[in-house]
Amino acid sequence: MARPHLFELNGTLLHGTSVPVEISRQLGLEAEMVALDREIGAQHIGPPEYARRVHALLSAGAKVKIADRLCEKFGVSRATCIACGDSFSDVELFGAVPVSVAVNVDQHVAGLATHSYAGRDLR
């Protein structure tokens, strides 16, 4: 049986957007995140303020919530999914599915996934 794949690879698969914007879109917070991206882009705020405000909007648990919504939408169970991610913020998602793949991560995150891959060819 084919398994649904839940991808979250910053910049690898998302061109012209950002992970916070895409997660915010799924959570109904897109306008807030786009406004925040504009503020940092215009240098009205710096990285520490950006990080503080992003953290107030999003959490690693949001990825699991979004995965659950997608599973329901497509009529599949989380138990049939494979999660692919590239950072510590993906660890909660790794724990929510039976199979996970860490892509180009440090050893700490790699050790928390079922499988780990380092390289540039996602095939």
Side-chain angles (χ1 to χ4, degrees):
M1 176 176 121
R3 288 179 172 260
H5 287 62
L6 304 168
F7 279 91
E8 194 289 296
L9 302 168
N10 303 340
T12 303
L13 299 177
L14 297 173
H15 299 282
T17 187
S18 68
V19 171
V21 168
E22 294 304 316
I23 290 173
S24 295
R25 180 175 291 140
Q26 294 294 320
L27 298 173
L29 300 169
E30 181 179 12
E32 293 90 335
M33 193 63 233
V34 169
L36 189 54
D37 274 355
R38 284 190 186 126
E39 285 187 63
I40 195 164
Q43 298 181 343
H44 294 141
I45 61 172
E49 177 65 11
Y50 178 84
R52 186 189 66 73
R53 290 172 57 190
V54 165
H55 187 269
L57 290 173
L58 308 168
S59 72
K63 294 178 182 183
V64 176
K65 182 188 280 187
I66 292 167
D68 286 341
R69 286 182 188 168
L70 291 171
C71 286
E72 183 178 335
K73 178 179 177 178
F74 292 105
V76 297
S77 164
R78 220 198 277 168
T80 65
C81 293
I82 297 172
C84 302
D86 65 353
S87 69
F88 191 75
S89 68
D90 299 313
V91 170
E92 196 166 328
L93 185 58
F94 289 173
V97 299
V99 179
S100 56
V101 181
V103 180
N104 294 330
V105 297
D106 65 30
Q107 290 298 26
H108 177 70
V109 176
L112 299 173
T114 310
H115 305 284
S116 181
Y117 171 76
R120 297 178 59 121
D121 186 352
L122 293 179
R123 292 175 286 158

